Amino acid sequence: MSAATYVARHAMGKAVRGKALVAKDGFSARYDLDRIQGIFSRPQHKLAGQSYVGRILVLETAKGGVASAWMLYEMAARGIVPAALVFNSVNPILAQGAALAGLSMLAGFDCDITAQLRSGDELEIDPVTRELRLL
């Protein structure tokens, strides 16, 4: 896959570079993760058993409410956190949780971002320009 740039409608945080972890699946910090071991733990999740720590998560949508938002903050406080979150769609509560946790996040693209990227791709996200670059 050649280098490409995707522009998000929503963005926050600082610029981040890292390896992608991609799945056409949702994201709930409460139900999908083992927040102590740093892995996706729900057996039905497409990323079950994989570590999210330090990875740029690229997922379909954010799920969950206030508990998920607070869990992002708790994960960041312990340093067992993704490098950034990238979604096709996000809900306001998870966006607030990401902001509270200091996580960079992009959401809302003109394409299905989970279909454009693969796990292991080297990515750079720049919330100031709202760009995700495949390196």
Side-chain angles (χ1 to χ4, degrees), residues 1-87:
M1 184 179 277
S2 61
T5 300
Y6 304 93
V7 179
R9 288 185 289 285
H10 312 287
M12 69 172 151
K14 61 181 169 51
V16 175
R17 186 175 182 165
K19 289 204 181 295
L21 188 58
V22 182
K24 181 105 176 133
D25 207 337
F27 173 80
S28 167
R30 182 175 184 186
Y31 296 113
D32 293 337
L33 307 179
D34 178 325
R35 295 176 314 279
I36 302 301
Q37 293 186 25
I39 62 169
F40 280 85
S41 59
R42 185 170 56 87
Q44 299 81 9
H45 199 281
K46 292 181 179 163
L47 297 174
Q50 296 189 56
S51 175
Y52 60 80
V53 179
R55 302 293 292 271
I56 297 176
L57 297 183
V58 181
L59 296 159
E60 176 63 27
T61 190
K63 304 181 297 184
V66 175
S68 242
W70 278 105
M71 287 172 189
L72 288 177
Y73 178 76
E74 177 257 341
M75 290 161 56
R78 288 187 296 102
I80 301 176
V81 68
L85 302 169
V86 175
F87 297 112

Side-chain angles (χ1 to χ4, degrees), residues 2 4 8 72 89 92 109 122:
S2 61
L72 288 177
S89 65
F109 297 85
E122 186 74 23

